[in-house]
Amino acid sequence: MSQRPLDIGWLRIFEAAGRLGSLTRAAHELGLTQPAVTYQIKRVEEQLGVSLLRRSQGGSRLTDAGEILFQAVQSSVESIDKATHDTRRTSKVPAVRIFTDFGFAAFWLMPRVTDFRRLHPEAEVHIVASQGLEDALERDTDAAMLFGAREDFPDTARLLIPECVVPVCTPGFLERFGPFNDPADFASAPLLHLETTGKSRWLTWATWLAAFGVTRPRAQGDLGLNTYGFIIQAALAEQGLALGWRGLVDHHLDLGSLVAVGPEVTRKDRGYWLVPSPTASSTTSTLLDWLINET
Amino acid sequence: MSQRPLDIGWLRIFEAAGRLGSLTRAAHELGLTQPAVTYQIKRVEEQLGVSLLRRSQGGSRLTDAGEILFQAVQSSVESIDKATHDTRRTSKVPAVRIFTDFGFAAFWLMPRVTDFRRLHPEAEVHIVASQGLEDALERDTDAAMLFGAREDFPDTARLLIPECVVPVCTPGFLERFGPFNDPADFASAPLLHLETTGKSRWLTWATWLAAFGVTRPRAQGDLGLNTYGFIIQAALAEQGLALGWRGLVDHHLDLGSLVAVGPEVTRKDRGYWLVPSPTASSTTSTLLDWLINET
DNA sequence: GTTGTGACATAAAAATTCTTTATGTTTGTG
DNA sequence: CACAAACATAAAGAATTTTTATGTCACAAC
């Protein structure tokens, strides 16, 4: 990759001439001939209608007008050269920016990105987590991973994990409040609710219980928390029963810190979808393909 | 005179594309065709080795790298356009800069420049007065007016006023300390001396008295002052006798506030010389010719 | 499903700019 | 007087920029 400064025409020529006080030395520094420098500066003077240099056989000096323009041009050359260096440095390691919710970021995406970076140490992945996802597809990110139904996303979206939910709690909680052999048994235990603004896209306890013919309004011992991370933390603290999404709680189920204590409810038309940006870099494509194949 | 912005190549093109979010609209704003804009930005991206815009059918958006370069380019375009405007404005009224000593500036040049500007109200004359005149011909001025002998100056120098010196004082001082019928009479009166660093180029009291066969060292009642303005002020305050240079004290002699009280000493090879700069503007030539003809 | 519109990309030709070569002028120095 | 150095000009050649012509793709309207 070239490290040459950008070609910015007469700006660099005039800056050199002003700084060196000599058209000939400026030409030498820039790899041009002296008439080329003379020609360029003369052209600027014609456009401006003002003399920029006082020429003599001993070299050249800036006029008052030349001094004014020189200040502006010199700072411009400096700042463009700095920006050139900065853009080349930052783009050497193309970053992949992925937009998703906090829960998915923490429990599904972060562990996998950690694994991916073990294979691609040079890759830089930025996870942009947010609560409000309404404008997710407007964000200037390389990909978005969002929960919803098929019709919520463009045709280019691919299903990462379908929604498959199972009630979970710690073994200790199970001993104290269990067993939960019948869905009706859940109605008497404290439940952990994910609070969302507006209508929830995710399965709720109310929906889960209704799938088994149980109607149970929000009880006094229930807890409402506004991020899925807090839900899992509360469950681990034995504050209640949580709904566990396959994919997000797998790690805790594997460790045994949480156990599945009820039947699974699956909504195959809903789940986490991968929505790639139209203009994805090669690193982005590599990561997304890897994530899909890992699942 | 053209008021068009300077042609700064791709800088203005990229700035417009980044600001408007559209190559087509940028082309329209700049009076180019859309392929011309596409070509220019593509060329910069090739030099940089980095993509600057994310193009789509809905228009274009800056990439992260593009944002970095855009900031630098936008501020450069602004500052160059401002400098362009400033250089055109300041050069509309070309200033004439004249370098001289304080005394000559105050008593000879300022009154004449005031008269000149009544005839040429648009002319802008800057008088650069200084005490140390050693590097006077090195200064970046349009002309210098300096005291000295013929051989002190280049051939292009022209004599403005030869050195012609007469003792002066106020009428009141004359009544108290006069009359001064004989040069020896001056030896007993307080004298005002112009203090200069190094050997004085101007006539001194010692030299004036010696011209008439009088030897008189510096007396206790004498005053030494370091600018000719202070000399004249002290004379008007009746603190002593001053040497009066024709041309500098004419105004006071005409008013009667000072009177000539002794014989005149002239050194025709010495005086105030006009040294023009090799590259004089037309306004400079107009002013200098006017000053010479006015004398 | 078809058609039209708009934005960007590409190729080739034409126009313009930029650079070099050759040479001239002026000034300063030895 | 000769030579060197700095800047200027003209002309030829090289390179860049722009326009014209056309293509591709996405989106909206019918």
Side-chain angles (χ1 to χ4, degrees), chain A residues 140-202:
Chain A
D140 186 24
T141 51
D142 298 294
M145 294 174 180
L146 304 169
F147 187 91
R150 184 73 194 88
E151 61 266 23
D152 293 330
F153 303 109
D155 288 343
T156 50
R158 291 188 273 173
L159 188 65
L160 276 173
I161 45 174
E163 186 177 40
C164 185
V165 185
V166 63
V168 296
C169 66
T170 61
F173 187 92
L174 179 58
E175 280 187 7
R176 283 169 54 208
F177 292 86
F180 302 101
N181 296 319
D182 191 80
D185 293 335
F186 290 82
S188 58
L191 304 179
L192 303 174
H193 301 272
L194 178 63
E195 311 282 13
T196 60
T197 55
K199 189 177 187 311
S200 174
R201 289 181 172 188
W202 289 266

Side-chain angles (χ1 to χ4, degrees), chain B residues 13 31-37 39-40 43 57:
Chain B
I13 292 173
L32 296 168
T33 61
Q34 172 264 317
V37 171
Y39 170 87
Q40 286 283 5
R43 283 260 295 161
Q57 254 58 36

Side-chain angles (χ1 to χ4, degrees), chain B residues 13-14 17 21-43 53 55-57 59-60:
Chain B
I13 292 173
F14 177 61
S22 163
L23 305 191
T24 305
R25 290 173 64 200
H28 194 269
E29 177 172 293
L30 298 169
L32 296 168
T33 61
Q34 172 264 317
V37 171
T38 296
Y39 170 87
Q40 286 283 5
I41 296 182
K42 192 178 183 71
R43 283 260 295 161
L53 290 173
R55 281 93 147 165
S56 69
Q57 254 58 36
S60 60

Side-chain angles (χ1 to χ4, degrees), chain B residues 201-268:
Chain B
R201 289 180 171 189
W202 290 266
L203 193 86
T204 64
W205 268 117
T207 307
W208 188 89
L209 290 165
F212 301 96
V214 178
T215 301
R216 183 245 202 222
R218 187 100 159 226
Q220 193 181 350
D222 290 1
L223 268 176
L225 302 108
N226 69 346
T227 71
Y228 196 63
F230 292 148
I231 292 285
I232 297 302
Q233 272 188 309
L236 292 171
E238 300 188 353
Q239 299 300 307
L241 282 162
L243 289 173
W245 272 263
R246 292 291 188 189
L248 304 193
V249 294
D250 291 3
H251 181 64
H252 288 288
L253 294 178
D254 291 345
L255 287 179
S257 53
L258 291 178
V259 292
V261 291
E264 202 169 78
V265 169
T266 297
R267 299 196 294 184
K268 281 187 164 43

Side-chain angles (χ1 to χ4, degrees), chain B residues 1-69:
Chain B
M1 182 188 291
S2 172
Q3 294 304 322
R4 301 182 67 143
L6 289 182
D7 180 359
I8 50 177
W10 65 263
L11 297 176
R12 201 177 296 281
I13 292 173
F14 177 61
E15 187 276 330
R19 168 169 44 88
L20 298 169
S22 163
L23 305 191
T24 305
R25 290 173 64 200
H28 194 269
E29 177 172 293
L30 298 169
L32 296 168
T33 61
Q34 172 264 317
V37 171
T38 296
Y39 170 87
Q40 286 283 5
I41 296 182
K42 192 178 183 71
R43 283 260 295 161
V44 179
E45 287 175 326
E46 280 162 7
Q47 288 181 44
L48 207 48
V50 164
S51 180
L52 296 171
L53 290 173
R54 179 169 291 125
R55 281 93 147 165
S56 69
Q57 254 58 36
S60 60
R61 299 187 60 185
L62 291 162
T63 61
D64 288 342
E67 193 66 56
I68 294 174
L69 186 62

Side-chain angles (χ1 to χ4, degrees), chain B residues 96-118:
Chain B
V96 183
R97 296 170 72 194
I98 302 177
F99 189 82
T100 187
D101 61 64
F102 283 106
F104 193 79
F107 298 112
W108 194 91
L109 189 53
M110 292 276 273
R112 283 162 176 76
V113 163
T114 302
D115 291 342
F116 177 80
R117 294 205 50 219
R118 266 200 274 280

